[in-house]
Amino acid sequence: MQLNPMSQDRLQSSTDQHAPEKRRYRPEIDGLRGIAVLAVVLFHANFGSSNAYALQGGYLGVDIFFVISGYLTGVLVLTDLRRQTFSLRDFYIRRARRILPALFLVLTVTLCLALLILVPQPLVDFSRSLVASIFFAANIFFWWRIDYFSEPGELTPLLHLWSLAVEEQFYLLFPPMLLLVWRCGRQATLCLMIVATASSILLAFHNGAVDAAGTFYFLYYRAWQFLIGAVLAKMRADHRDSRHPFGAVLPVIGLGLVLCSLVLLGSRGAIGMGSITVVIGTSLIIVGDRGPAFWLLTRRPLVWIGLISYSLYLWHQPILALGRSYLVNAPGGSTLTLLLSASFALAFLSWRYVEQPFRHAAINREQLAASAILTVVMLVAAGLSSLLTGGFPGRYSQVQQHLLEITPERGIAYVEGRTCTRRAIVDACIIGRPGTKPHFAVLGDSHAETLTGPLSDLLNRNSASAYVYTDAGCPFIIGVVEQNSNSHCDEYNNDAFQALKANQVSDVIISDRSTAYMLGTRFDNQEGGIEPGLPFPVAPVGFRGDDHARTLAVASQLRETLRRLAENNIVVYYVLPVPEVGWNVPRTLVKLIAQGHLPLTTSLAVYLKRNEKVFDILNEFKDNPKIIPIYPHKTFCSAVSGRCATHENDEIFYTDTDHLSRQGAEKLVAATAKIIKFHD
């Protein structure tokens, strides 16, 4: 999102005494701009959890700016057309003075910081976005590359410049089209603008379900927001001496709609309840008169934020994204406050010492053109050099480069060209030696699935095979379902249990995140690494009670599941939960490799404490020869150092915060092979 540069133009009273009308400065628009930029900045900072934004509709601040931009552009162009003084050349020169200096400063500083912080592949991606942003094609680039609301979006320094591209495209097209309409059919101007607005709205609604990203990023689906502002400018110009009987009330309603949209109505699309409500609210503020809302919007702090909003918008996303890229832990409240404080400070400095001098003609037209061309050449050259070299890998040693090139993948088995995940019981994979009757079965969730590749190799070497009865998100605990969802875990596990008996399976290997399901919490490694995502507690079918009772009930169901398997003469190799990490291992290793701060380890004591309930349950079966526990911490952790490894030499054991990679799965299966007994 980008604050519209046009909306930054303070419409001062005209000095031309013969002008048909005067353009006056409207401080309430600066105040509204202050609200909009604060909403966007807080949305990007995300002081809420990693999964629920503290300001749900904060990104709708850009919709406010699009309306304001359309309105102020309409006022400017229509005023000059009436005076017969409009010049496309002068219009674009004003836009260049307003937009380019601060933009080029931010791009240059961000490039320098990216060279210091980003490793080769992210730097290549940044360089592509840099070149696209210079030529105001960032919206097309990001439509092709990234989901605005995804986690990678938080790490993309120039993601917000998609909307600057949209605005520049509007500036490129709207004034000449309005000029053409004015000359050919002046009386039809308002009618044609309304038709164009309606057409854009219809296009956005029609395309929203088909291409949500395109609807979000492209001008022709966003044009209605600009055009509504332009329509308001035309109507105000045609009826400038009229007063609405509810002129002071309309902005109050409008401000209420705006605040409601920003706080509650984020729909994450270009058009929806949130965007429609915020556009209506903005429009009511623009057409209204002085009153309570005017008083609120013209408070000095809010107006000041509005005045620096363009620079603040340009600075905040690179500061936040590069800060997140550098820090090992997700930034907490104090760190985010520090980053935002830096954004405000840089915004004020660039507004005072860059925006103002260039805007008020301290630099003449020729100097502006020369400096712009030189800056573009330098930035494009730097971006292309990064692309051609693959992100300047020479910044790192050969060992670092090798580690940075590793992309760990999960060890999921493939059978006949199909992956062994999310399969129905009747369509279950059979891994291991082809053509042999399976006596084994693999049970559990996605953690069991990631073991299937190495397990298949192990079974094959021992002339054995196994059914794969796994379902991501479902632990193999019979009789439980995931709370607060349409869970089918109980049905799947019951079907799997019946299949074990029907197929005369004698041995099962169980692996899942039983602790996480039982406790209902994501992992906190107590060292700053907190696993993102919503909790996923399970509970017995029909359970009613508090969380403590739920935990005890799930533990009871796990005991009963193990007991039922043993009573059916099935040997259970129970793989306890693997050490969780809290940090996304590949992503965090990239940062530590670049900074030379390896290794990445976690606390064994924290692991043992978190999993003590599962340890206790397995200990209850210590005298049962059919329940055989397998302890992953004995493979990945050292009792001497008290730390659990996430990597070793050039092997990375995890693909994220808790799933093993193929290398990690192979390491665990190799240890398991010493315990599993194969039948002759």
Side-chain angles (χ1 to χ4, degrees):
M1 303 171 192
Q2 183 269 337
L3 307 186
N4 76 72
M6 170 57 75
S7 67
Q8 295 283 17
D9 287 296
R10 302 182 63 179
L11 303 184
Q12 304 290 357
S13 298
S14 171
T15 57
D16 183 355
Q17 300 300 317
H18 303 288
E21 67 238 48
K22 291 184 178 181
R23 298 198 298 265
R24 65 179 179 84
Y25 170 54
R26 298 186 59 182
E28 75 274 23
I29 289 182
D30 270 330
L32 182 58
R33 187 183 307 118
I35 290 176
V37 70
L38 285 175
V40 174
V41 169
L42 290 175
F43 179 81
H44 286 162
N46 187 16
F47 281 93
S49 72
S50 59
N51 313 285
Y53 286 94
L55 202 61
Q56 290 294 320
Y59 69 95
L60 293 171
V62 75
D63 300 55
I64 297 173
F65 283 101
F66 283 169
V67 177
I68 295 174
S69 181
Y71 171 73
L72 293 178
T73 302
V75 168
L76 183 74
V77 176
L78 289 169
T79 298
D80 286 349
L81 285 173
R82 284 194 173 89
R83 293 174 176 173
Q84 298 183 351
T85 59
F86 180 70
S87 165
L88 281 174
R89 186 191 66 173
D90 291 344
F91 175 83
Y92 291 128
I93 289 174
R94 283 198 297 268
R95 291 301 86 222
R97 284 186 179 278
R98 183 68 192 85
I99 296 168
L100 297 183
L103 173 64
F104 286 166
L105 171 65
V106 171
L107 291 179
T108 301
V109 173
T110 304
L111 172 62
C112 295
L113 292 175
L115 287 168
L116 295 173
I117 294 173
L118 299 182
V119 295
Q121 187 54 53
L123 184 61
V124 167
D125 294 335
F126 167 80
S127 300
R128 292 193 179 104
S129 68
L130 174 67
V131 175
S133 298
I134 291 169
F135 295 105
F136 300 109
N139 59 326
I140 300 171
F141 174 80
F142 289 121
W143 164 75
W144 175 53
R145 296 281 295 185
I146 198 168
D147 174 8
Y148 180 85
F149 298 99
S150 64
E151 185 181 8
E154 292 187 341
L155 304 176
T156 305
L158 303 182
L159 179 62
H160 62 320
L161 296 186
W162 73 270
S163 61
L164 179 57
V166 171
E167 283 213 51
E168 287 308 300
Q169 292 156 17
F170 171 74
Y171 293 146
L172 181 66
L173 297 174
F174 178 72
M177 292 176 69
L178 183 56
L179 176 61
L180 179 63
V181 170
W182 188 268
R183 288 177 176 175
C184 297
R186 178 175 176 175
Q187 300 304 317
T189 301
L190 181 60
C191 180
L192 290 174
M193 290 167 66
I194 292 173
V195 170
T197 303
S199 299
S200 177
I201 291 174
L202 291 174
L203 278 173
F205 271 118
H206 179 267
N207 196 65
V210 179
D211 180 16
T215 308
F216 187 89
Y217 280 121
F218 288 144
L219 173 63
Y220 36 91
Y221 302 120
R222 290 283 190 172
W224 65 278
Q225 297 170 332
F226 295 99
L227 291 170
I228 282 178
V231 167
L232 295 177
K234 182 67 171 68
M235 294 173 66
R236 194 176 183 94
D238 291 345
H239 306 283
R240 59 185 178 275
D241 295 326
S242 63
R243 288 290 182 269
H244 195 282
F246 302 103
V249 177
L250 294 179
V252 175
I253 298 172
L255 184 58
L257 292 175
V258 165
L259 296 177
C260 179
S261 301
L262 297 176
V263 174
L264 301 174
L265 298 180
S267 58
R268 301 193 176 189
I271 191 164
M273 182 61 71
S275 58
I276 292 172
T277 304
V278 82
V279 167
I280 292 173
T282 303
S283 301
L284 292 177
I285 293 171
I286 289 174
V287 301
D289 296 325
R290 291 173 179 253
F294 177 90
W295 184 87
L296 288 171
L297 290 170
T298 54
R299 296 305 86 200
R300 188 182 296 273
L302 204 54
V303 171
W304 180 79
I305 293 172
L307 290 173
I308 68 167
S309 56
Y310 177 51
S311 281
L312 177 58
Y313 189 83
L314 289 178
W315 281 111
H316 84 279
Q317 176 66 7
I319 295 297
L320 289 171
L322 291 173
R324 287 184 170 112
S325 295
Y326 179 79
L327 297 170
V328 173
N329 298 321
S334 58
T335 303
L336 288 171
T337 301
L338 180 62
L339 293 174
L340 292 185
S341 298
S343 300
F344 271 91
L346 290 169
F348 171 75
L349 292 173
S350 60
W351 171 76
R352 176 66 180 83
Y353 297 107
V354 178
E355 286 189 56
Q356 296 300 308
F358 276 90
R359 181 179 173 187
H360 296 297
I363 297 177
N364 63 39
R365 198 173 294 173
E366 290 73 19
Q367 291 173 321
L368 176 67
S371 59
I373 292 171
L374 178 61
T375 305
V376 167
V377 170
M378 292 175 60
L379 289 173
V380 171
L384 293 178
S385 297
S386 174
L387 293 176
L388 292 173
T389 60
F392 299 114
R395 295 174 292 156
Y396 304 101
S397 68
Q398 291 295 322
V399 173
Q400 288 175 312
Q401 290 181 43
H402 175 69
L403 291 173
L404 290 170
E405 291 171 358
I406 298 173
T407 304
E409 298 180 353
R410 295 190 191 178
I412 298 171
Y414 284 78
V415 175
E416 296 179 351
R418 295 174 58 200
T419 180
C420 291
T421 60
R422 298 186 182 277
R423 293 224 196 166
I425 298 295
V426 296
D427 187 37
C429 272
I430 298 177
I431 59 174
R433 177 68 60 88
T436 60
K437 176 176 172 52
H439 292 289
F440 282 83
V442 180
L443 308 172
D445 59 6
S446 56
H447 282 238
E449 291 174 350
T450 202
L451 298 178
T452 52
L455 280 175
S456 183
D457 295 336
L458 174 64
L459 291 165
N460 188 38
R461 290 195 300 270
N462 289 274
S463 301
S465 61
Y467 296 104
V468 177
Y469 299 141
T470 61
D471 194 15
C474 291
F476 192 75
I477 304 176
I478 295 174
V480 302
V481 293
E482 188 175 352
Q483 284 190 319
N484 307 318
S485 71
N486 297 321
S487 174
H488 62 277
C489 294
D490 180 47
E491 179 183 350
Y492 186 90
N493 287 335
N494 279 323
D495 290 345
F497 191 80
Q498 294 304 318
L500 295 177
K501 294 193 293 185
N503 293 315
Q504 298 180 329
V505 170
S506 60
D507 302 79
V508 296
I509 301 169
I510 300 176
S511 176
D512 55 40
R513 294 187 73 186
S514 51
T515 291
Y517 296 109
M518 189 183 304
L519 299 181
T521 59
R522 294 281 181 168
F523 180 59
D524 181 348
N525 67 18
Q526 308 298 313
E527 297 175 29
I530 302 175
E531 178 190 358
L534 296 173
F536 45 87
V538 299
V541 177
F543 174 80
R544 296 291 183 273
D546 61 23
D547 197 58
H548 177 68
R550 181 197 59 78
T551 300
L552 295 177
V554 175
S556 179
Q557 290 298 118
L558 176 55
R559 292 187 187 92
E560 180 60 24
T561 298
L562 295 174
R563 189 176 294 113
R564 284 183 61 184
L565 289 168
E567 288 174 353
N568 280 269
N569 204 33
I570 296 174
V571 176
V572 179
Y573 296 98
Y574 192 89
V575 182
L576 278 77
V578 300
E580 300 155 297
V581 182
W583 297 296
N584 182 297
V585 173
R587 195 176 299 155
T588 305
L589 279 175
V590 163
K591 301 175 185 180
L592 296 181
I593 291 166
Q595 299 168 20
H597 292 160
L598 294 178
L600 179 65
T601 63
T602 57
S603 168
L604 173 59
V606 170
Y607 169 81
L608 294 175
K609 177 65 176 176
R610 175 168 167 84
N611 292 279
E612 62 183 355
K613 282 184 169 50
V614 180
F615 275 81
D616 290 343
I617 291 171
L618 268 294
N619 192 51
E620 293 173 16
F621 292 92
K622 63 182 179 180
D623 296 325
N624 190 328
K626 292 191 177 300
I627 308 297
I628 303 171
I630 295 172
Y631 298 101
H633 71 280
K634 294 182 178 179
T635 299
F636 296 104
C637 308
S638 167
V640 176
S641 66
R643 306 295 294 178
C644 299
T646 65
H647 61 100
E648 185 177 12
N649 298 324
D650 60 354
E651 293 186 343
I652 298 174
F653 299 146
Y654 293 81
T655 60
D656 50 28
T657 65
D658 54 271
H659 289 92
L660 293 178
S661 66
R662 174 170 288 275
Q663 289 84 358
E666 288 173 347
K667 188 177 182 67
L668 180 57
V669 169
T672 303
K674 303 172 184 177
I675 300 172
I676 295 177
K677 296 179 181 179
F678 294 94
H679 305 287
D680 295 331

